[in-house]
Amino acid sequence: MDTRGVLDERTGRTKFRLRTVDPSPALAPFVHYHWIVSWDLAEPFTQQVIPHPNVHVVFSAADALVHGVPLGRFTRRLTDRGRVLGVRFHPGGFRPWLGGRVADLTDRTVPVADWLGVADTEKPIARAPDDDAMVAAAEALLLPRLPAEDPVVAQVRDLVGLILDDLTLTRVDLLASASGLSVRALQRLFNEYVGVGPKWVIRRHRMHEAAARADAGGPVDWAALAAELGYSDQAHFTREFTATIGTSPARYRLRT
């Protein structure tokens, strides 16, 4: 399981359990996976996540919300005992369900009841007896509302995959050359389907990679990593890492 973006992931593993479940074949063109987080804590714990370019639909005992792509760190305070189910859509995969620009959801949450026009959507999911029953209840809610497949979703997913697979794509013009699309076409496509621009996705992937290197243990040559990730110098890398992660690379490495 790729937990990139979960800050101080080794500490988090001692506080909560994270499980992922593949979607049913009908949902697979749109949904990457379902995730379930459960915890049982004597003391509160706060987890921070550096989000990916994905829309999530999240069901808890308190509410059911559609989360657009957060631009900053996502923070969740866990207390007592609980369980949450999330549906992680592929980049671009939520566009057919929304019927409008995904950028309109960016940095926002919308009640699932408003999105689907169905009240109390969280109750049958949050009250399900186990993980698999939660997933089944969420899919029972989504499957009757399945939109027609949109070929652009696969195109957008492939474009994001290019970024994730190739650290040398450090600029949008390089992605444009690799994809055969113009920079302007990429920007329009990402705003419509992903909710953030291709530059944001590239920068966020670099931060996920940098944090993952620190989380792996062992020494990190930050100057070499900055060059590998396409930064003009280590100072530029350090500023962006600190703004995104919330602490400097060296301090983050010491606490992981």
Side-chain angles (χ1 to χ4, degrees):
M1 180 192 307
D2 187 357
T3 55
R4 291 186 183 210
V6 179
L7 298 184
D8 301 334
E9 187 262 339
R10 280 182 288 182
T11 300
R13 253 184 286 162
T14 69
K15 304 296 183 180
F16 59 82
R17 180 179 67 90
L18 171 63
R19 179 190 174 200
T20 61
V21 178
D22 290 338
S24 63
L27 285 172
F30 310 100
V31 173
H32 188 187
Y33 55 74
H34 306 288
W35 53 264
I36 305 102
V37 171
S38 56
W39 64 93
D40 190 353
L41 298 171
E43 296 181 355
F45 173 73
T46 299
Q47 179 64 60
Q48 290 192 320
V49 176
I50 305 302
H52 295 255
N54 304 77
V55 172
H56 294 252
V57 178
V58 182
F59 301 90
S60 70
D63 51 37
L65 297 170
V66 179
H67 291 258
V69 178
L71 297 179
R73 291 186 297 278
F74 177 81
T75 300
R76 179 72 184 243
R77 181 175 168 83
L78 307 178
T79 60
D80 302 322
R81 185 178 183 179
R83 187 172 55 185
V84 173
L85 169 77
V87 182
R88 171 174 159 141
F89 285 76
H90 290 299
F94 196 68
R95 172 62 177 79
W97 299 77
L98 184 63
R101 288 194 331 142
V102 180
D104 293 338
L105 271 180
T106 299
D107 235 6
R108 295 178 55 221
T109 58
V110 175
V112 171
D114 292 352
W115 166 48
L116 295 180
V118 179
D120 299 327
T121 50
E122 72 277 7
K123 291 180 180 177
I125 297 168
R127 294 174 182 174
D130 55 40
D131 292 354
D132 292 338
M134 289 183 80
V135 169
E139 294 211 340
L141 180 68
L142 295 175
L143 284 169
R145 299 167 173 84
L146 195 70
E149 285 197 39
D150 180 347
V152 180
V153 172
Q155 179 190 15
V156 170
R157 181 178 170 183
D158 288 345
L159 288 167
V160 173
L162 281 176
I163 296 170
L164 302 186
D165 291 339
D166 189 350
L167 283 173
T168 68
L169 295 178
T170 56
R171 302 192 312 271
V172 179
D173 63 306
L174 296 176
L175 179 63
S177 296
S179 66
L181 297 173
S182 70
V183 169
R184 183 63 187 138
L186 283 171
Q187 291 168 338
R188 287 196 302 265
L189 191 60
F190 273 61
N191 283 324
E192 181 73 22
Y193 275 78
V194 183
V196 289
K199 181 179 180 180
W200 187 96
V201 177
I202 290 169
R203 293 176 65 181
R204 179 53 53 88
H205 177 52
R206 292 194 294 184
M207 288 296 99
H208 284 151
E209 181 67 22
R213 300 282 183 96
D215 287 335
V220 179
D221 185 335
W222 295 113
L225 180 59
E228 180 184 350
L229 297 178
Y231 288 92
S232 56
D233 52 42
Q234 186 176 351
H236 180 199
F237 163 76
T238 298
R239 287 194 299 272
E240 187 162 319
F241 187 102
T242 303
T244 304
I245 307 298
T247 189
S248 70
R251 288 180 178 175
Y252 181 76
R253 174 66 191 89
L254 288 175
R255 77 188 199 194
T256 60

